[in-house]
Amino acid sequence: MAKVAAVILADNARGAEREARSALSKGADLAELRLDFVRNLDPVAIRNLAAAVGSRSIATFRSEAEGGAHGPRDDRRMSLLNEIIGQRFAYVDIERDADAERIEDLKRLAKRHRPTIVVSHHFAAVADSSQIQDALEACAAIGDVAKVAVPMEDVDSAIQLVDLARAQTERKRRVILIGTGIDGMITRALAEDVGQEIQYATWGRPVSTGQLSLAAATRLRGRDPMILGLVGHPLGHSLSPAIHEAALSALDVPGVYLPFDCDEGSLQTLLEAADRHHVRGFNVTSPHKEAIVEKLDELDGDAERLGAVNTVVIGDGWTKGHNTDVFGFRLSLRALGLRVGDRRVLVVGAGGAAKAVVDVLAREGAKVQVTNRTLRRAQVLADSFDETVDAIPLDALARSGPWELLVNATPLGSPGLSNGLPVPTAILAKVGYVYDLVYNPPSTPLMDAARRLGKPTTSGLEMLLHQAAKSFELWTGRAPPVEPMRRAAREALR
Ligand code: NDP
């Protein structure tokens, strides 16, 4: 079983002891004492820490060259390392580059308490697989456990790294092979499954991007993992990881929800590796919602009708695409008490979200008009439905309406875009209710403008939550814990 080590970054020895005890009481198997973070580290502090928490600690004195904090001079580093390795720590981490020449001396000093020696190497930049393999061999040759950490630049290289780690543990090697950065998160999520020695987890602030939280790491410990995530490019900031982490945590599901920043090639690699690496499903966002349709074995009715998928479920070599945006919008109308049958509705925008919205509205019997910056796209969208849907130019809105409901399905109002409104304020005066699919910020300029006219409004948060809840149910077969998901979304929006 991969031991979960909470990484302790305190800048003084007392703080390190306190934090280590606290992390151990919260479920960590080990505390990694990052001694390079402790200012004015001296032999007394080392002995005290060893006596207090050493039997459940990894003592790591990272050199500056490999990302350490305070970086003492070489001779000072050596004398402190001599002290560390002679004390009662469960594990001591030494570095291949900085310490290999002294390995025999260090092993002699280690004889007293026999810590497990981790020999580590941390690449500063992306490395190819032969460099990684060489580093691993060199570490394994002199340590009990070989640890290599290397930045990942894409999902493909992370998947290769997981395969390499698996090949090592199948040979009964004790290894820790970490892909750092967001793209490397799957290497951490699969640490247990692959049989890695240690899963380093965040305690407080993260020292390495992509590290799992202690809560997520302990949830995965000793259990079959369920890898979920969000596939798109670029991913930008998404609420989905926070929402799904809340759901996984609330139901104690041994899963993680990871960002997979994928171009089309990486998407293919991910699909091919899915069964092997416990990827049970993912959400799909721009630009893959339509392109992925061809790559899947089966589609549900909504995805088939719209030719767009936002949720993939994977199991037993079979992939099925769903469109939970349709479900999410439909359910949000119910939750908000919005009846649309026979009512006049104006949809602004003609992209994927607009299509899902028009599909629901048309099937519920609304009289739908679509307008868009590019009128041609609105016309194509309207023509793709069997039901009557009208496309109207933006400049014809002044002569049209009124509408019981307006739905904004453009990104206008999102951070980074102009504060302009999708339709002029004068048009809002002819609208009964404004539904903005944008959910960040929680109150958009469009909603503010509508409220100033006394109109009720809602943001896209309800739809987002319901589509996320449906995806969660499809992946896990469990009733989604909507309230914790909602709280996590609101928290992430603060
Ligand atoms: P698409 O890129 O597929 O479509 C975007 C649409 O917005 C197009 O019609 C585009 O017009 C229009 N548009 C883009 N920029 C502007 C602009 N500056 N001014 C006027 N119109 C503009 O995106 P989606 O349909 O996937 O998503 C649209 C929005 O809906 C996003 O903000 C997204 O976050 C939100 N959404 C919310 C969901 C929820 O659960 N709440 C679910 C899905 C989406 P043109 O055709 O001229 O390019």
Side-chain angles (χ1 to χ4, degrees), residues 64-188:
E64 213 166 349
E66 298 208 11
H70 301 313
R73 288 195 328 273
D74 279 359
D75 52 346
R76 178 92 180 121
R77 175 181 160 76
M78 279 179 196
S79 75
L80 288 173
L81 203 55
N82 287 349
E83 184 65 41
I84 291 166
I85 208 152
Q87 294 301 321
R88 194 186 295 278
F89 288 106
Y91 289 81
V92 175
D93 182 313
I94 65 174
E95 292 171 14
R96 182 195 68 164
D97 285 2
D99 311 312
E101 280 180 6
R102 301 183 50 245
I103 188 68
E104 291 313 321
D105 289 345
L106 289 168
K107 281 186 173 167
R108 197 165 33 74
L109 290 167
K111 277 206 172 116
R112 202 159 134 226
H113 294 302
R114 300 195 175 282
T116 300
I117 298 181
V118 177
V119 176
S120 62
H121 181 74
H122 304 79
F123 285 96
V126 172
D128 63 36
S129 56
S130 66
Q131 290 171 302
I132 298 170
Q133 189 105 32
D134 288 350
L136 203 59
E137 292 299 331
C139 294
I142 54 175
D144 301 314
V145 179
K147 174 188 175 195
V148 172
V150 54
M152 295 286 102
E153 59 180 349
D154 52 33
V155 172
D156 307 55
S157 44
I159 287 173
Q160 268 179 27
L161 201 68
V162 176
D163 286 329
L164 175 59
R166 225 184 266 286
Q168 294 287 320
T169 56
E170 277 166 6
R171 289 169 55 198
K172 305 283 177 245
R173 278 259 177 94
R174 294 172 76 180
V175 295
I176 304 160
L177 200 46
I178 301 168
T180 59
I182 297 295
D183 288 327
M185 286 182 81
I186 191 167
T187 68
R188 299 182 189 269

Side-chain angles (χ1 to χ4, degrees), residues 108-319:
R108 197 165 33 74
L109 290 167
K111 277 206 172 116
R112 202 159 134 226
H113 294 302
R114 300 195 175 282
T116 300
I117 298 181
V118 177
V119 176
S120 62
H121 181 74
H122 304 79
F123 285 96
V126 172
D128 63 36
S129 56
S130 66
Q131 290 171 302
I132 298 170
Q133 189 105 32
D134 288 350
L136 203 59
E137 292 299 331
C139 294
I142 54 175
D144 301 314
V145 179
K147 174 188 175 195
V148 172
V150 54
M152 295 286 102
E153 59 180 349
D154 52 33
V155 172
D156 307 55
S157 44
I159 287 173
Q160 268 179 27
L161 201 68
V162 176
D163 286 329
L164 175 59
R166 225 184 266 286
Q168 294 287 320
T169 56
E170 277 166 6
R171 289 169 55 198
K172 305 283 177 245
R173 278 259 177 94
R174 294 172 76 180
V175 295
I176 304 160
L177 200 46
I178 301 168
T180 59
I182 297 295
D183 288 327
M185 286 182 81
I186 191 167
T187 68
R188 299 182 189 269
L190 290 170
E192 171 75 41
D193 183 63
V194 163
Q196 303 216 32
E197 179 87 10
I198 291 166
Q199 166 82 276
Y200 294 88
T202 299
W203 176 256
R205 70 194 153 111
V207 68
S208 173
T209 322
Q211 219 165 51
L212 302 186
S213 67
L214 180 60
T218 51
R219 201 169 65 229
L220 292 174
R221 183 175 46 200
R223 304 164 82 184
D224 274 348
M226 172 182 265
I227 309 292
L228 306 170
L230 174 64
V231 169
H233 179 77
L235 281 184
H237 182 71
S238 166
L239 291 187
S240 298
I243 293 175
H244 286 290
E245 169 59 26
L248 293 165
S249 163
L251 299 187
D252 191 28
V253 175
V256 282
Y257 187 94
L258 309 177
F260 292 114
D261 194 327
C262 282
D263 60 16
E264 210 167 325
S266 298
L267 174 55
Q268 191 61 38
T269 310
L270 184 66
L271 281 169
E272 283 162 12
D275 264 333
R276 188 165 85 248
H277 292 324
H278 301 269
V279 180
R280 298 287 176 243
F282 46 78
N283 287 129
V284 186
T285 186
S286 173
H288 302 311
K289 278 186 171 182
E290 285 162 12
I292 198 167
V293 164
E294 293 299 309
K295 301 182 193 294
L296 302 174
D297 297 315
E298 191 186 346
L299 299 177
D300 79 354
D302 291 336
E304 176 100 57
R305 240 184 11 265
L306 297 188
V309 161
N310 82 326
T311 302
V312 175
V313 179
I314 303 170
D316 299 327
W318 193 255
T319 53

Side-chain angles (χ1 to χ4, degrees), residues 289 325 349-354 372-374 377 409-412 414 437-439 460 463-464 467:
K289 278 186 171 182
D325 282 341
N372 189 42
R373 177 176 67 174
T374 312
R377 247 184 122 187
T410 78
L412 275 176
S414 308
L437 294 197
V438 174
Y439 47 80
M463 172 175 171
L464 181 77
Q467 69 78 20

